[in-house]
Amino acid sequence: MTGQTILGPAPLRYRPGPRRQALAALLDGLRTDGGAHVVTGEPGGGRTAFLEFAARSFRAGPVWHVRADPARAPRPHSGLRTLLRAAGRCVGLSDDGAADKVFLDVLREASARSALLVCVDDAHLWDPASRAVLGRAAARLHAADDAHRVGLLLTVPGHRPVAPELAGLPVLELAPLTPGDAAGLLHDLTDGAVDPAVRDELVTEAQGNPALLAALAHRLSPAQLRGRHALPRPVADAGALAAVAGGCPAGVRPDHADLLVSVAAATRVTGEPDAEASLLRRAAAVLEGRGKAQGAGAAATVVPVPHAEPSFDPEELPDLLVLLEGRIRFRSALLGRAVYAGAPPERRRAAHRALAAALPAPHGVPALLHRSWTVPGPDAGLAAELAAAAADVTSGLPPGVRRTAQVRAAELTPDAVERAHRYTAAAEQALFAGHPPEALRLLDAAVTCPVPAPVRGRAELLRARVLLADGPVDDARESFLLAASLLADPSPAESGAAVLGAADAAWAAGDPAACLRALVHEAPPGTGGPAALSGSGGLAALPGSGGPAALPGTENHGAAALPGSGGPAAPPRTENHGAVALLRDHRDGMRAVLQGRFDLAAAPLARVVDRGRPATEPERLLRSAAAALMLGDVTAARRAGARALAAARTPGAAALEPRALEYLAYAELRAGRHQLARTHAEEGLRAARRTGQRNTAAHHHAVLALAASIEGAQERVAEHTATALATARRHGLAQAAMLAQWAAARADLGAGRPREAADRLGPLVRPGARRGHFAVWMLAVPCFVEAAALAGRPEHARAVVEDFALWAGCGADPQAPAQLLRCRALLAAPEAADELYLRALDRHDETFGDFERARTELLHGKWLRRRRRLREARARLGEALVDFERCGAHLWARQAGAELRAGGAAPGGAGTGEPPRNAGRDLSRLTPQQLRIARCVAEGATNREVALSLSVSTRTVDYHLRNVFATLGVRSRVELVRLVEQAEKAGAHL
C-alpha cells in the first residue's frame, strides 16, 4: 500500500508538458468525481510506470497500489485478498456471492473522509473470481451511483482482448513516446554518452517503446553508443524484441502460428500496420497444401487451387490478431516484429513463399520482395529483377516500399559496383520517404568497398543533398565539392549541379565569398553552367532564394537531382536549350546580386521569372519564385510559389512540398499577409517534419516567429525562436538564425521594450564580424533604428541608415523607401522630422501591407503627441490603431491605444485598442492551461491549491495567472471570478 507520498523525479513521459497535463486532468477527475479506467498499451509501453506515477501524484487521499501475482492466480479471490491485505483490511471472503458487498463496504469506509485511489497493475493476471468482483465494482463506480470519491485504475496488456469482466469500462490507451521524449529517455539511460546518429537510429528502432529503447541501449557497448564502433545488425534483434514482447507464442496451433508469421511477413513488405485478409487466406491455402508449385528455387511459385476460399472467422483468429474491415493486424506492432524475428527461418521462408504465390502480380515489387526472403544467399538475377521493378516510376508504390526493395536488391547483389549503385538508389528512396538518417546509413553501405569514381561521386552527391536538407551545411558543401571533382569527367552535368549545391550550402552558412566562388566556377562544356540539372525526380538548386532581396533560405535546396535508377555507367540526361538558358540566367543573376551589381542582375532574373510563367515543373516554378523575390516582385513570387506547391503535391515530388510552402510563406510575409504566411508555415512545418527536413523546419519556425512578432503572441515567438535557433546553431544555418533573432527583437519592440530590442539587433546589423547573414541583416535595420531611437541611442543607428539607403536605392524591396524615410525621421531634428514622416506615409500609399504603414503612423502619432499637437496626434494614432487591428497586430494596437488614451481619448471602448471595461470578455482567448487555472481560481482555490491539483509548481501557476490577468484585462482575483461567472452565464466555453 502507498499513502500520501512525496512526488519524486517523474518518468520522462510525465514531465511538464501535454502528457503531464492530461494525467493531471485524469487524477483531478478521479479526485472530485471518482470513476474507473482500464489503462492499456503494448508490451513495454509503460503501463507500470504510468500507474506508479499516478499513485505518487495522487494527493487527495490514500492510495492502494498492488501488482497481480501470477502465483496466486489459481486460488479464488486471491487477487482481491492481496488488495485488501495491502489496504490493511483483514476480512473474510466466501464464494457465496457476498464478496461484492464486502469489497464495496470496504471502499465506502475508506472513502468516507477523503478520496481514494485504487491501482491494480496487470489486473488480467488476477483469478476470474477477483476480476469479476473488481469489474462489477468498477462498473458501479463508473456509473457514479454511489456518493463516494473512489478512483480505480486497472492496467491490462493491449495486445490481447480486454477480459469480459472489465469490458465496458472506459479504456485509456498509452501512446508511444514522442521522438523528443524518447531521445530524452535515452539521454537519461546513457548519461548523455550517446552519439546523435546512434541516438536517432535507436529512437527510430524503438518506435516509441520505452522498454525496447532501454533494451537496445543496454545491448550496446560504450564504444558503440559513442559511434566509434559499428552497431550490430539488425539493431533490434530477436533477443531484444523477445525480452520486451516475447517471440512467436508457444503452444499455439500450427495454422495459427503460420498465420501469425504470415501477417508479420506481409506487413514487413508493405510497411503498413495490416494486411488484406483475402491475401492471407490465399496464402494460408498454399501453406495448407491446397496449391501446386511451379518452377524451382527462388523462381518457384505456388498457384492456389482456383476456388473461393472461406473468409476468416474473427472468433477463430489468434488473440494477438484483430480483423477489421477486411484487413488483419496485430494488436501490438511490436509483437508483430517479435513474432517475425523469433520464428524459425524455415517458417519465415514458407510464409514469404506462400504470400508471393498468393499475390496477383508475380513480377511486381511485393511478390519479388517475398521471393527475395526465400533465398539463402546472393542471387544476381532476382536482384536485377527486383531493382528494375523498384525503379519503375509508374508503379505507384510509396517510397518506403521502393526503399525496402532496393535495399534487398543490394543485399542480393554479388557485384560490388552494382551493389553500391543499388544502395544509393535505396538511399534516394529513404530520403523521399522522409528518413534522412537512414539515407546516410545506406550511403555509408554503398561506399564500404572501393568503387569507380562515378559511383562514389553520385553517392557523395546524394549525401550532400541529405546534409543540405537535414545536417550541417558546411559538411554539405564539402560533399558537394567532392562530388563535383569525382563527376567532372564522366558526368559534367552532375558535376555542375554539385558545384551549384556547394554555392547553396555556402549561402546557407552565410559565406558570400564561398558562394561567389562556386557561382563563378567554370562549368564543363555543354552543361550550361553550374546550374545544370541531372537525373530526374530530385530537388533542383535554388540559390537565388536567399539573395539580398529575398527572405527564404536555401539550406534545404538541394542542388542536384538524384541520379537516375540506371547503372553506374548510365549517361547523364541532356538538357534542352530552354532549361540550360533558364539555369544560366539564374546563375548570372545570382552572381550579379552577390557582387552588388543589381543593374546587371535585373535582366537575367526577369527572364527567369518570365520563363517560369508557363512551367508546370515544381523545380522551375521554385526558381521563378526565387528570382521574383530577388526582384521585389512579390505578386509574381506568390503566384509562382502557389503553383509550385500544387505541382509538388504529386507523386514523386513530395520532398519539394516543404520548400514550396517555405517560399510561399516568405512571399506572403513580404506582401504584408502575415496570417496567410503563418498558415503556410504551419503546413510547411508539418511537411518538413514528415519528410525529415530539419533545416527546412527551422526556416518555417523562423517564419512563424516573425508572424507571431506581428500578432504580439510573445510565448509563441519565444517558442519558435528557440526551436529555430537550436537547429540553426547545430547545423550552421546563419540565415535562419538571423530571421529568428529579428523576430525576437521585433516582439520586444511590440511589447514596449526598445532597449532589449536594440541590444538584440545591434550586433546583427552594425558593421563587424558579428553582423548577421549578408542577405537578411538589412531587412532588420528599420527595427533596429526604431529601437535605438526609442531607447535614447540614436547615434548607434546613424551609420546603418546610410547602409540601408544603398539597399533601398536598388529597388529590390518595395517597402524599403518608406522605411528609409521613417528611419531618417526618427533620427532627424524636430523641424525636419514631420515632413519626413509625411513623405514616408506617401510612399506607403504606393505599396502594400497595413503593418508597416501602421508602424509609421504610430511613430508619427507619438511624435505629434509629445509636441502637444493632440488633435493631429489622435487622428494619426487612430489610423494606426485601425491598421494594426485590421492586420491582427494586437500588441501593437495596444500601444496605439495607450498613446490615444494618453492624448485624451476616453478610456476603454472603440478607438483605444482596449475592450470596454464592463463588457464580457471572451474566455476562449485563454490557452487550455490558463482556462483550467482560471476555473480553479474562480472556485476559490489558492495558487498553492491550484498547483497541487494540476501537479505543477506554484511558480507555474503564478506565471499563467499573470498572463490570464493581462489577456482578460482584469486587475484582481475578484474581477476574474466575476468575469468567469458572467462568461458561464452567457454560455462561454470554459
Side-chain angles (χ1 to χ4, degrees), residues 118 179 185 189 233 240 358 404 408 418 453 489 512 661 672 678 693 696 713 780 788 796 861 919 935-936 959:
V118 179
L185 175 59
L189 292 171
R233 301 294 174 188
T404 303
R408 188 61 184 144
E418 285 293 335
D489 290 332
L661 285 162
R678 180 170 50 124
Q693 299 182 34
T696 316
H796 292 176
R935 183 186 70 177
C936 292
Y959 169 76

Side-chain angles (χ1 to χ4, degrees), residues 147-281:
H148 302 289
R149 294 182 296 166
V150 179
L152 189 58
L153 293 176
L154 316 172
T155 70
V156 298
H159 62 280
R160 295 185 182 277
V162 177
E165 300 89 350
L166 306 179
L169 294 176
V171 175
L172 174 64
E173 184 174 356
L174 297 181
L177 292 175
T178 66
D181 283 349
L185 175 59
L186 188 59
H187 182 278
D188 291 349
L189 292 171
T190 62
D191 292 328
V194 58
D195 178 77
V198 175
R199 176 199 63 208
D200 291 343
E201 186 165 2
L202 294 182
V203 167
T204 300
E205 283 289 331
Q207 296 181 357
N209 189 287
L212 180 57
L213 185 63
L216 296 180
H218 293 153
R219 182 187 177 203
L220 302 183
S221 68
Q224 288 172 325
L225 282 171
R226 290 182 172 87
R228 296 172 184 168
H229 291 172
L231 299 184
R233 301 294 174 188
V235 176
D237 65 351
L241 293 168
V244 176
C248 198
V252 300
R253 291 163 30 188
D255 59 329
H256 279 188
D258 286 339
L259 180 59
L260 289 171
V261 176
S262 295
V263 174
T267 56
R268 187 185 191 202
V269 165
T270 63
E272 298 176 348
D274 50 23
E276 292 182 5
S278 59
L279 169 66
L280 294 167
R281 170 54 76 187

Side-chain angles (χ1 to χ4, degrees), residues 462-477:
L462 182 56
R463 182 190 305 278
R465 289 192 48 224
V466 174
L467 293 172
L468 197 58
D470 190 61
V473 290
D474 285 340
D475 294 353
R477 183 182 70 242

Side-chain angles (χ1 to χ4, degrees), residues 47-74:
R47 300 191 309 274
T48 298
F50 174 90
L51 218 58
E52 290 174 350
F53 187 66
R56 291 165 64 84
S57 303
F58 192 77
R59 299 170 177 270
V63 177
W64 300 352
H65 184 194
V66 296
R67 184 170 188 178
D69 184 358
R72 298 177 180 270

Side-chain angles (χ1 to χ4, degrees), residues 857-869:
E857 290 166 339
L858 174 60
L859 292 169
H860 190 204
K862 287 181 177 182
W863 185 89
L864 291 169
R865 188 182 69 78
R866 281 156 179 74
R867 279 148 188 82
R868 310 304 300 168
R869 294 163 60 177

Side-chain angles (χ1 to χ4, degrees), residues 248 257-258 261 338-351:
C248 198
D258 286 339
V261 176
V339 163
Y340 186 87
E346 184 49 45
R347 175 160 273 165
R348 289 200 302 264
R349 286 194 289 269

Side-chain angles (χ1 to χ4, degrees), residues 600-616:
L600 298 179
L605 292 177
R607 289 194 294 271
V608 174
V609 174
D610 291 339
R611 288 194 177 98
R613 298 187 196 279
T616 57

Side-chain angles (χ1 to χ4, degrees), residues 978-988:
R978 187 181 302 118
L979 178 59
V980 171
E981 291 174 349
Q982 290 174 352
E984 288 178 336
K985 290 177 182 178

